[in-house]
Structure formats: C-alpha cells, structure tokens
Amino acid sequence: MGSWRKSLTAVLAGVGLASFAASGAQAENTIIVLDASGSMWAQIDGSHKITIAREVLDEVLGQLPAEQSLGFMAYGHRQKGVCSDIELLVAPKVGAGEEIRQAAAKLNPKGKTPLSDAVRQAAEALRYTEEKATVVLITDGLETCDADPCALGRALEESGIGFTAHVVGFGLKEGEGAQIACLAEETGGRYLDAANAAELTSALTETVAAVPEPEPEPEAEPEPLPSATLAAPAEVPAGSDFEVAWEGPDDKGDYVTIVEVGTPEQRHGNYGYTRTGNPLPVKAPDGLGAYELRYVSGSGGQTLGRRAITLTPIEASVEAPFEVAAGARFEVTWTGPGYNDDYLTIVEAGAPEGSHGDYRYARDGSPATLAAPDGLGSYEVRYVVGQSKRTLASQPVILVAVGATLEAPAEVPAGSAFNVAWEGPDNANDYITIVEVGAPEGTHNDYDYTRKGSPADLVAPDGLGAYEIRYVMGKSKRTLASRPVTLVAVGATLEAPAEVPAGASFEVTWEGPDNPNDYITIVEAGAPEGTYNDYDYTRKGSPADLVAPDGLGAYEIRYVMGKSKRTLASRPVTLVAVGAKLEVPAEVPAGSSFEVTWEGPNNPNDYIAIAESGAPEGKYLNYAYARKGSPAKLLAPESLGSYEVRYVMGKSKRTLVSQPLTLVAVSATLEAPAEVAAGSDFQVNWTGPNNPNDYIAIAEPGAPEGKYLAYAYARKGSPAKLRAPDMVGRVEIRYVMGKSKRTLVSETIELTPVSASLTVANTVVPEGKAIVEWQGPNLANDYIALAEPGAPEGKYLAYAYTRKGNPATIKVPKVLGNFEIRYVIGQSKRTLASIPVLIDIAQVSLEAPASVKAGSTLKVAWTGPANWEDFIEIVPAGAPPKSKPVSATRTSQGSPLPIFAPGQPGQYEIRYVMRDTGEVAAARPLTVE
C-alpha cells in the first residue's frame, strides 16, 4: 500500500476510534460521507483516488470497534452537473461494514461536489437535534454548489445536541483546506489534511485513542467558575439600542443582560445570547439611573462578569392642530428617539398610560397621519415609548363638529337605481345609504362609500312610502346628515304567446324598471313569490328567452323584482302537448352503429336513446342529442334480444314516442400463421362487424374475457398487425367486441423460441468504444447492452439498438472491472445471450525524437485510451498540470501524429493529457534547438 493509502487509512481509523472513545462504552452514530465526484478519477502514485478510497475503507472497517454504529453516504456518483446527486447508501447501524464495502465498490464518480448539503443530509439522517452524532467527510475538492460550509457548521452546532463534523481533505491543493476546515472547527471537530506522511502522523497522534479504562476520580475542590469581561458605553439613552463587546466562555446558552443595580442573581431584563455575535446588540430598558450589564452562564445561571452603565433621559415633542374635525385625518409633526416600537396616538384627555386610539409607528417618519375619533371635546396627541408604554410628550387637541349635505330626488321608484350628490368630511369608510325613516344608527340597506366620489350610486329597497338617505361616519356609524325620500310604485307589462308547446323555447317581450337582478320567469299558476323555473335577467334586454317546463295546463309568466322577489306583473300561458315520430330498423346487429330518422319538438337537450324494453324514464344505454339533427346515429349494445328506441324530453326525461328494436347475433373469422417467432411482428386477416373499439388480441389460452397480451384495433383494417409476446408456447388470437369484451371467434398459434450470439474483444477501455458483432432475431427495440455482472434484467450502463446495424457500437462509460455484454429482447428486457468483457485502463506511452529544430514538425507515436477529449501536448519543461500548451493535437488524429515544435528554443515536455480531468498520463522531455 502506498503512502497515500497509509495516510488516509490512519486518518479514517483515527476519526472512527476517536468518536468511539469520546462517548465511553457506547459509540455514538456516525456517517462517512465520501466524495464520488468526477475528480476522484485523478491519480495519486499511479492509482485512481476512488480506488485508494475503496481500499482504505475496506481496511478501516475491519479496525473499528464492533459496537460502532456506522452509515455511508456518497455524492456525485449518478449524474453529471447535478447538485442534488446525494444518496444515503447504508443507514447507520451496528455491523454495517460489509454493506459499506459493497456500496463503495459500485461507485462510479462523475458529478459535482455538493459537500455542504451532503453533510446536512447526513446530520438529519442521524437526528442530530435529538441525539449525539458524528459525520466524517472525505472530499478531494471544494464546494461547487453555491453553499457555505462555514455557515452550515455554525447552524449544525447551534441546533445540534453534541454534533461533530470531521473533514478529511484528500489531495487538496495548498490553501484549499482552509476553505472547508471551518465546517469541522465550527462543530468542535478536526480538519485533517491527507497531503503527506508527516502531517498525517501528526493528525493520527491527535485523533487516535483507545477506549480508556475508567479510573477512580479523586475528590477535588470544585473548579473555579470561568470569568468574563464586558465593554460598553458608560451612559446610554433610556430605551435605546447599543452594543456590548464581551470576552467569555461562550458556552451554550450564555447570555448578556441589563438589569437595575441590586437585581437578584439569576433574574434578567433585556438580553441577547452570546452565540448571536460579538459585539452583541442589547436594548436598554426605558428607565433612568444606575443599571449594570451581566454576563450570565447558560448552564448554571451564575454571573461571570459585570459592568456598570447609566441610563440617561430621552425627550420628545409633538405638534398638531389645536382643533380637528371629529373623524377627520390630520398630521402630527414630532421629534423623539424614534425607537422601533415607539408610536404616535390620539386619546381622550387624561386617558391612562398605554391607552391608544388610532396610531402610527414613529419608525414610519414625521409627520405621522392620524384619524381623529368621532367624538367632540378634549383629546390629546401622545408620543409613546413602545417598550414601556410611557408617554414621552403630549399636546391637547379639541375635536369639533363637522357637517354634511345630501342632494337626491324627492321620489324614487321602488327597487330602482338612483344617484345621491353629497358633501362631507369623506373620512375613511364614511358611506351613503338609504333606510326606513327612524331606523337605528348603523342600519343600512344598499350603500356606497364616499371614497368612491360624488355622486354615490344606490339601489332603492323594494318598498313603498317614507325612507331617508343618510351620510354615515364610518368609524362610529353616526349619521352626520339625512334627507327624506319617498319610494313610489312601479309597473311592468308582458307580451307572450297564449299557448306554448311543453318544453319548447319561446320569447317574452317586456317593459319594466329593469332594476339590478330583475328577471322574467315561467311558473305554475298561483306559485308562491320567488318561485321560478327557467328565467332570463332583464339586463339582457327585451325580448327575454325562456324554456317552458315539460308540463301541461295553466302556467304564468312573471316580471320579478330581483331584490325583493316580488312579482311586478304576470301573464297567463297554457302549455300544450307535443308529439314526435321515429323510424327505426326492425333488427340491428348487436354492437353495431345504426341511424334513427326522427321528427319532434327539438327542445334544448332533447335526445334519441336506446334502452332496454320497459326501462324506467331517463334510463338509457346510448343516446344522441336531437340538436345534432336527423337522422341520429346510435351504437347498439352487444347483448341480444328486445330493446326500444325513444325520443326523450331533455328537461323532464319524459319519453314522447318509442319504437321496438331487436338486436341479432354477429360473427367473425380469423386467419393467422400456425407458428410465429417469440417477440416478432406478424399479421392476422379477419372479417367481423368492426364496431367502434373492436380489436384483435393475443391472449393466453383460457384467459378471461377482456384479458390480453397484445392487441390491434379492428378499425385499422385487415390484416391486423400484432407483435407476439416474448414467450414460448401456445397462445390464442381473438376477435373481441370493444364494448362488452366478448370474444366472437378465436384461433390457436404456437410461439417458437429465438436465439442470439455475441462476439467482442476481451478488454475495452473506459470511455472508448466496444465493437460487438451479433446474431439474433433483431426484433423491434432489441438492443446490445453493457451491464454489471449479475445486474437485473433490463439494467445496463450503455446500449445500442440492433436496428442500427451489425456490428453494434457501444460507448464505454468511465468504469473499471469485469462486466458483460448482453443481447436483450426489447419487448421483455430478457437477456437472450451474454459474454464477459473487461474494462481496464489502457497503457499510455509516448515515442518521439529527443530533440528537434524550432518551428519544425515532429511525429509522436503513442498508445493510450484515445478518448475524444485526450490530447498530445507540448508545454515548457516543469509546467504544472492544466497549463496552456504551446502546441496540441487530439489523439483522435491517430498514431503516430504530426505536431508543430515550439518556435523558441529551450527545454519542453511532450505530454499525453486526459482532458476530462486534466491528468497527465505520460510525459517525455523534448529539446528544441
């Protein structure tokens, strides 16, 4: 094992044992989070980082205590460029070592590095807010998903119960570790940099510890309490916000508070937790004189440090009009401390402290706009300190009476709309309304807010006699002005036919007030007020369109007031009988379409229906609306026997006329091959009724009606094109009625086996191409797949359809190890044939002249994986990886390939570069003369 493997093994073992030792006889739950992003394919000492990580995990898992509860999470192993690619592969439990080994062996690095979200999800999986928990993060890169590891560490520390995160920087560049070390430091964990043996030895010394035997603890004097110091101004204004700088243990729950001098210990005033920052914001009480700041231990309540502070007076002033109209809005100019919760308000003179009427916060600025109460006499405007409700300044104000005027017609037709011109204070929510004379204050019928302007729009009640219009104060509901109005009777007229066919549409010409929601309706003669059948609003104009009920005899048409439902005018109408005719075939094949010629009233929603003989009114099996014209097209049921066709009134479901109909049997024939290759396409010739949704089906012998393996609709014509199931043995071909699923005829055929064979090179390279020669049925959607050995049917890493030709070309993913090539039946995902294949890194070598002339062309012979992104590059000698090349050519140009020598003499290197990772796979020196 190389030095990297040894170092990382020590780090992981140290972290694991340390987390066990820290909790004594019982180990807390731990999750290892492994970076499986694409950069883990980079090499160290000739081995891929992911390979080193797997081997180290395998060794460490055998060293941890048997009682250790361990889980395993990875990120970046399923998708490229996706920050949500995080998966808990093994939930925390005792004895999880073998599951973790297996999960790590299957990882295929490819994606991004969402390390912060992965640690957060691991903490949540460990229920870190309820139990002690440890997360060990192994990462070879920095956060790439716009998250802040430092902020995450602080959040987990504040909300967790004994939560710890250890971070192992695996091959990070100089300075990169500092950018993620805070994740560990914020939670009390360790950042361990696996960069060289010396540093790892030091890390091992700090973290590895055996579980110590408990020793008797000698009695000792209680340890002295830690101390704290506080720095703050000597004086601050009462109620103000100020900052306190502190030094102290900053243990969980520690806080800084301000109290009066002499306040008993363990009592507090305004306070702030030390965890929220330094300096710490504190709000002074609204008091005066000697106070003190205290640093208090969150665990024991002891005061660890204190500092004296004096609260000084604050002042305010208010300026407002001496007189304000009752209910009106007015402005108050003020000065004062302007604390966040301070406010301006108006109250009765002498009201208790803390009382308020309408108010505005001082934080909204000066002047403040207030609404005066709807009262008269002495009031005062106050500046109030929000913290204590203390009045800091006040000014008296007198509320004086206001008036209003109204102009409206002396008479208004009952229920009609009319206008009211008004003048008045137009306070918030003032309104104009119409009520009966003498109605209590606050009573209203229809109303309109004054904020909508003058005139106001009202609708009169549907009553007669004395009413009044009122201007009402919105706040107190007090009537500021009123004006009498008399509601007078209105009339209406109706013109309509004396007789109307039952259920028919007809028109009614009308005249009337056309108030909002007035309507025309038809009801039985003498029906109660408000009763209606079909109706039409008068706002739609005259004539109104109505549909008569499906009844006979005396009815009436009414003009109805929309507000009161009172009938303003009525006119009698007689509903008379109507008839219909049907022409229907005597016999129809069961399940077939047929036509019915009809005559009838064709009222809205009338329909032609087919029903069982004697079925109740409104019951049917199939129907067509009369409005679609004659003849009507119906679909017969698939059962045999006696039925009837009906003309049905859409509104009442009453049958106007019916004709009998007999449904007779139908037949079908099938012609199909005696044998068909499993999974292949074949044709079936058929004859039959071809009713809507009839189909030709393949079913298992004896399968229930309607159960099938494959089908084709009869409407697509004969022959029907079917695809055989991927199975061997006898099956049935059926002609099936689409409506009832009844089989009219069936034939039996034999499904015969199919086979396949494969040829491929024994070894292929990651991200190269596997050329597979195949023989097989080449059925629809068959494919050649690359899969892990023993993977479930249909699971694969890459594939190519057989329809694209022979041989098949499969792009090999970036994986290593033993795999298999499969011929897969596309329909069933069944593997028809398979052969093993090894995916392994190709050996990389370079051959070129030792020296060339500047600006000349040289040829470089090479061996390697020849990925599309791979390049042969010339760079200055000693240039770091990913340096900009002087000259470069893709390996796709073949070997040997020509490349331009640098134009300047000097020492250079020829390199084979893996462009996806920037890894230098091979290099050789070049002298340019």
Side-chain angles (χ1 to χ4, degrees):
M1 181 183 294
S3 62
W4 276 95
R5 292 178 175 83
K6 292 178 181 178
S7 299
L8 191 55
T9 300
V11 171
L12 287 177
V15 171
L17 290 171
S19 65
F20 177 76
S23 59
Q26 181 178 1
E28 62 198 43
N29 287 336
T30 300
I31 289 180
I32 296 174
V33 179
L34 179 61
D35 184 341
S37 63
S39 57
M40 288 291 282
W41 283 111
Q43 292 186 2
I44 296 175
D45 296 338
S47 295
H48 295 286
K49 289 183 180 180
I50 188 63
T51 303
I52 298 172
R54 288 175 180 141
E55 293 173 355
V56 169
L57 277 174
D58 186 63
E59 181 172 347
V60 169
L61 291 171
Q63 299 178 18
L64 297 180
E67 301 88 344
Q68 177 71 47
S69 175
L70 198 61
F72 184 56
M73 176 179 284
Y75 57 77
H77 58 294
R78 295 176 295 186
Q79 294 176 284
K80 291 184 177 180
V82 177
C83 286
S84 60
D85 185 13
I86 301 168
E87 184 178 11
L88 181 61
L89 297 166
V90 180
K93 58 185 173 181
V94 174
E98 185 56 33
E99 286 188 51
I100 294 175
R101 289 186 184 95
Q102 293 177 8
K106 295 178 180 178
L107 292 176
N108 180 23
K110 62 180 67 174
K112 301 192 79 172
T113 307
L115 65 87
S116 300
D117 201 34
V119 171
R120 180 187 61 76
Q121 291 188 30
E124 291 171 351
L126 293 168
R127 301 195 304 175
Y128 77 107
T129 60
E130 304 172 28
E131 301 175 1
K132 286 188 175 182
T134 298
V135 173
V136 180
L137 169 66
I138 307 167
T139 180
D140 84 324
L142 302 181
E143 173 71 52
T144 61
C145 288
D146 296 327
D148 184 349
C150 302
L152 173 68
R154 290 191 292 273
L156 293 175
E157 173 64 17
E158 289 181 7
S159 55
I161 297 180
F163 176 78
T164 304
H166 301 293
V167 180
V168 179
F170 185 21
L172 295 180
K173 294 180 180 178
E174 183 177 356
E176 288 183 336
Q179 300 180 48
I180 55 173
C182 56
L183 175 57
E185 293 164 357
E186 292 284 354
T187 62
R190 291 280 188 269
Y191 172 74
L192 306 167
D193 195 347
N196 57 58
E199 292 178 5
L200 285 170
T201 301
S202 175
L204 186 63
T205 302
E206 293 182 23
T207 57
V208 177
V211 180
E213 290 293 332
E215 297 180 2
E217 295 185 5
E219 293 185 5
E221 293 294 328
E223 293 185 6
L225 290 173
S227 62
T229 61
L230 299 167
E235 295 183 351
V236 296
S240 65
D241 293 322
F242 65 101
E243 290 187 338
V244 179
W246 54 267
E247 290 184 5
D250 192 20
D251 290 333
K252 193 167 186 176
D254 287 5
Y255 61 92
V256 175
T257 186
I258 182 169
V259 295
E260 291 187 59
V261 172
T263 298
E265 297 295 310
Q266 298 186 342
R267 292 188 184 177
H268 65 79
N270 297 335
Y271 67 93
Y273 286 111
T274 59
R275 66 170 180 259
T276 60
N278 192 356
L280 181 69
V282 175
K283 180 180 286 295
D286 183 29
L288 299 175
Y291 281 74
E292 69 177 353
L293 295 164
R294 295 176 179 175
Y295 185 113
V296 182
S297 168
S299 58
Q302 299 93 343
T303 298
L304 305 183
R306 64 186 77 223
R307 176 184 174 85
I309 188 169
T310 301
L311 303 189
T312 59
I314 51 177
E315 296 181 350
S317 67
V318 292
E319 291 184 13
F322 178 71
E323 290 187 349
V324 173
R329 299 177 71 81
F330 65 102
E331 288 189 347
V332 179
T333 302
W334 59 269
T335 64
Y339 298 150
N340 195 54
D341 293 329
D342 291 1
Y343 58 91
L344 286 300
T345 189
I346 181 170
V347 296
E348 292 187 33
E353 291 285 75
S355 301
H356 68 82
D358 190 50
Y359 68 93
R360 291 293 179 273
Y361 283 113
R363 62 175 177 254
D364 294 333
S366 176
T369 301
L370 297 178
D374 181 25
L376 302 176
S378 298
Y379 284 75
E380 59 181 300
V381 176
R382 294 176 175 176
Y383 182 109
V384 180
V385 178
Q387 183 181 170
S388 62
K389 312 305 180 191
R390 178 169 65 94
T391 299
L392 199 57
S394 67
Q395 179 190 309
V397 63
I398 304 298
L399 300 190
V400 297
V402 292
T405 62
L406 298 167
E407 291 185 14
E411 293 185 349
V412 172
S416 66
F418 66 103
N419 293 332
V420 179
W422 59 268
E423 291 183 1
D426 190 18
N427 299 319
N429 296 325
D430 288 1
Y431 60 91
I432 314 298
T433 189
I434 180 171
V435 296
E436 293 184 32
V437 171
E441 291 285 77
T443 303
H444 66 80
N445 289 308
D446 191 51
Y447 65 93
D448 199 15
Y449 285 114
T450 60
R451 63 174 175 256
K452 294 183 178 179
S454 178
D457 298 318
L458 296 181
V459 176
D462 182 26
L464 301 176
Y467 282 74
E468 61 180 304
I469 302 164
R470 294 177 175 176
Y471 185 112
V472 181
M473 301 281 277
K475 197 169 184 73
S476 64
K477 312 306 179 190
R478 180 168 63 90
T479 299
L480 200 57
S482 68
R483 176 186 177 91
V485 63
T486 300
L487 301 188
V488 296
V490 293
T493 62
L494 299 166
E495 292 183 14
E499 292 185 348
V500 172
S505 298
F506 66 103
E507 291 184 345
V508 178
T509 303
W510 59 269
E511 292 183 0
D514 190 16
N515 299 317
N517 296 325
D518 287 2
Y519 60 91
I520 314 298
T521 189
I522 180 170
V523 296
E524 292 186 37
E529 291 284 76
T531 303
Y532 63 87
N533 289 307
D534 190 52
Y535 65 93
D536 199 14
Y537 284 114
T538 60
R539 62 174 175 256
K540 294 183 178 179
S542 179
D545 297 316
L546 296 181
V547 177
D550 183 27
L552 300 174
Y555 282 73
E556 59 180 300
I557 302 164
R558 294 177 176 177
Y559 185 114
V560 181
M561 301 282 276
K563 197 168 186 73
S564 63
K565 313 306 179 190
R566 179 169 64 90
T567 298
L568 200 57
S570 68
R571 177 185 178 90
V573 62
T574 300
L575 301 189
V576 297
V578 292
K581 293 181 180 180
L582 296 171
E583 292 184 13
V584 182
E587 293 184 347
V588 170
S592 66
S593 298
F594 66 101
E595 291 186 344
V596 177
T597 302
W598 59 270
E599 293 180 6
N602 195 10
N603 299 317
N605 297 326
D606 286 2
Y607 58 91
I608 317 301
I610 182 169
E612 294 182 6
S613 296
E617 295 282 55
K619 296 292 183 181
Y620 57 83
L621 300 171
N622 188 256
Y623 72 96
Y625 282 115
R627 63 174 175 256
K628 292 186 176 180
S630 178
K633 295 180 179 180
L634 295 178
L635 179 63
E638 294 181 0
S639 300
L640 306 180
S642 298
Y643 291 80
E644 58 182 286
V645 177
R646 298 172 174 177
Y647 185 108
V648 183
M649 300 282 277
K651 197 168 185 72
S652 64
K653 314 306 180 189
R654 180 168 63 90
T655 300
L656 280 186
V657 65
S658 67
Q659 290 287 341
L661 174 68
T662 301
L663 300 187
V664 297
V666 292
S667 61
T669 65
L670 296 169
E671 291 182 12
E675 292 186 351
V676 172
S680 65
D681 294 333
F682 67 102
Q683 294 184 341
V684 178
N685 292 306
W686 60 269
T687 64
N690 195 11
N691 298 319
N693 297 326
D694 286 3
Y695 57 91
I696 315 301
I698 305 173
E700 294 183 0
E705 296 282 55
K707 296 292 183 181
Y708 55 81
L709 301 171
Y711 72 95
Y713 283 114
R715 63 174 176 256
K716 293 185 176 180
S718 179
K721 296 179 180 179
L722 293 173
R723 179 165 295 164
D726 182 28
M727 57 185 288
V728 176
R730 301 184 71 78
V731 293
E732 288 183 9
I733 308 298
R734 298 175 175 178
Y735 185 108
V736 183
M737 300 283 276
K739 195 170 185 70
S740 65
K741 314 304 180 189
R742 180 166 63 92
T743 300
L744 283 185
V745 65
S746 67
E747 294 287 345
T748 301
I749 68 171
E750 188 78 21
L751 300 185
T752 59
V754 291
S755 61
S757 63
L758 299 163
T759 303
V760 70
N762 292 332
T763 303
V764 295
V765 297
E767 295 193 308
K769 295 178 180 179
I771 308 301
V772 184
E773 295 184 354
W774 57 268
Q775 290 183 343
N778 194 17
L779 304 172
N781 296 326
D782 285 4
Y783 57 92
I784 311 300
L786 171 68
E788 295 181 357
E793 297 282 56
K795 296 293 184 180
Y796 55 81
L797 301 175
Y799 72 96
Y801 285 115
T802 59
R803 64 173 177 257
K804 291 189 176 180
N806 192 353
T809 301
I810 298 176
K811 184 176 180 181
V812 180
K814 190 190 293 184
V815 294
L816 296 172
N818 293 311
F819 294 84
E820 61 185 23
I821 302 291
R822 298 175 175 178
Y823 186 108
V824 183
I825 301 293
Q827 180 186 151
S828 63
K829 314 304 180 190
R830 179 170 64 93
T831 299
L832 199 57
S834 67
I835 57 172
V837 65
L838 174 64
I839 301 177
D840 200 1
I841 297 293
Q843 295 299 315
V844 180
S845 65
L846 294 169
E847 292 184 12
S851 63
V852 295
K853 291 188 178 295
S856 65
T857 300
L858 70 152
K859 289 188 176 181
V860 180
W862 58 268
T863 63
N867 299 317
W868 174 253
E869 298 87 354
D870 294 356
F871 278 75
I872 305 299
E873 297 181 350
I874 299 177
V875 298
K882 299 185 180 179
S883 296
K884 185 177 181 180
V886 178
S887 183
T889 304
R890 288 184 186 273
T891 57
S892 58
Q893 299 298 317
S895 176
L897 57 76
I899 188 168
F900 289 113
Q904 296 295 324
Q907 298 301 312
Y908 294 85
E909 286 184 8
I910 303 173
R911 294 178 176 178
Y912 187 112
V913 179
M914 310 280 283
R915 272 300 173 88
D916 58 341
T917 63
E919 177 188 350
V920 177
R924 65 171 291 132
L926 175 67
T927 299
V928 177
E929 299 173 345

